[in-house]
Structures are given as C-alpha cells and as structure tokens.
Amino acid sequence: MKLITTIFLTLFPVIAFANSSLPANRHIAVQGSAEILAVPDMAQISFEVISFKDKSLDAKRDVDDRVNLLLKGLSKYDVKETDVSASSLLTHNDDGMFNVESGTAINAGYVATRILKVTLRNIEKVNDFIDFALSVKINEVTNIELMSSKAAQLEAEATQGAIENAIVKGSELAKAFGAELGKIYSINSNSNRSSYGYGADSFERIVVTGSKVTRNPFEQGRYLQETITFKSSINVVFDLEVDD
C-alpha cells in the first residue's frame, strides 16, 4: 500500500484550556498537533435494496433473491461473508397516492428495503464490484467510505507527532523567556480520524430503475486520488523552571 505520511506540526500558543485547572506556580500551557495523510487501500460500500410489489411477501422474496445473488458473487472480489453486514428487512405499505374525493390514501402495493455494507479489502476492485452489484439489481449505492488497513498504526503516529510537537513548542517558548520546561502538570489528549471519500454529500447517488442506471459518477481510478487524514491534538501544561 502506498502511503503519504506527511506530518504537519502546528505551532500556536494556547492561552487557556477549557474545563481544566492550572497550577498556581509558574507554568506554560501549550497545544501540540499533527496530521498524517494516507492513501486508502480499503473501502466500505453501502447499498440499499428496494422492491415494490403488490404483496408484502413478494417484495420480501425479491429483496432476498437479490441479496443472495450478491452474496454468491463475493468470492470473485476477495470478499468474505464476514465483511458484509445487513440490516433487518423492512416492509410497509406504499400509500404515497391520495384519493382526493374520498380523502383516503391509496395502497399501491408494498415496499421492502434492506441496507447492506460491504468492506472491500482491495480498493482496486471497487468499480468492478459496484458494476456487479448493480447487475444483480441492487438499487442504490448510498455511500463509499475510504479506509486504511493501517489505521491503528497511523493514529498512533499522529498522536506521537502531537506529543513531540507539544514538547518542541513548549521548550522553544520557555527558552525565549529565559526558562526551561519542568515536570508535566496535566495532559489532555483529543484524537480523531477524518476520512474523505464519496459520501451522501459528495457524490450523486447511483440509482437503478429496472435495469437502467440513471447515472454512474465513478470513473476508473478517480477515488484513488482521495486521501484519509489522521489527526491528533494534545493539550499539555508544564511547570516552568526559572533561575531567580
């Protein structure tokens, strides 16, 4: 897997930390932060399966058949059944039409829906797998989350970068005022991971009506240009040692 491991060390003073007490003696409060960018090598794709039928049982069976066809083709894309999660199947009346004269809803049939999430451990197969899913009449691709198989390692590296950043910045600021860093008074770590991919707000849904795809915005290799950002920040209060 190709990784971009660029660490951004942000140097900016922190005047006060919310919800934290400060020592009465001389001290310095600093915030260290770091970011690591990585090229994703995995993806989790969310699908929605919808069926409209006159009878509730027929709608359920239609959804079951499509899901089973998808499961049968998993091995071709190096996907195990443990990499697939599915919501409970839901059915309800399709009463979207309204009779103006009688003032009552018109039952146009039944709708069955199910949500599937498939984790692809080989990101190069995303496009082919989406094409396959659409071919077995999985109605909608609702989300693609880009992921990294080295997420835990990269999160740890970002945290270590934030720690080093806090120490360097604290030392430089203390030295500038003729002091040295003393013992650590308090530490408040706040780590998070931001992943950038094709979600509901960043791509047009792929919708299937019958066998027709209304739009396919996924061009070969396009998602490979996206990156995942692993961020970490740490608030630290150091005692200051000053020669009186």
Side-chain angles (χ1 to χ4, degrees), residues 109-129:
Y110 292 86
V111 181
T113 60
R114 197 170 191 184
I115 304 297
L116 300 173
K117 291 185 178 181
V118 180
T119 299
L120 285 179
R121 302 188 181 277
N122 184 350
I123 200 169
E124 294 182 359
K125 296 189 176 184
V126 167
N127 284 298
D128 290 341
F129 185 73

Side-chain angles (χ1 to χ4, degrees), residues 155-182:
E155 289 172 356
E157 290 180 8
T159 299
Q160 183 61 36
I163 293 171
E164 294 172 1
N165 179 221
I167 295 173
V168 170
K169 182 171 66 174
S171 297
E172 291 179 348
L173 290 175
K175 184 178 180 180
F177 288 93
E180 294 183 357
L181 287 185

Side-chain angles (χ1 to χ4, degrees), residues 134 137 139 206-215:
L134 297 176
K137 298 182 180 180
N139 303 74
I206 296 180
V207 181
V208 178
T209 304
S211 61
K212 181 181 178 181
V213 182
T214 59
R215 180 171 174 78

Side-chain angles (χ1 to χ4, degrees), residues 17-62:
F17 295 158
N19 301 321
S20 66
S21 59
L22 296 176
N25 59 306
R26 294 187 179 101
H27 65 272
I28 182 172
V30 298
Q31 183 180 80
S33 61
E35 294 183 3
I36 291 182
L37 303 182
V39 175
D41 61 352
M42 298 170 54
Q44 184 179 77
I45 309 172
S46 298
F47 300 97
E48 186 171 15
V49 191
I50 307 173
S51 179
F52 300 87
K53 297 292 181 182
D54 292 335
K55 297 181 179 179
S56 177
L57 181 59
D58 291 340
K60 174 188 177 300
R61 286 174 175 172
D62 185 34

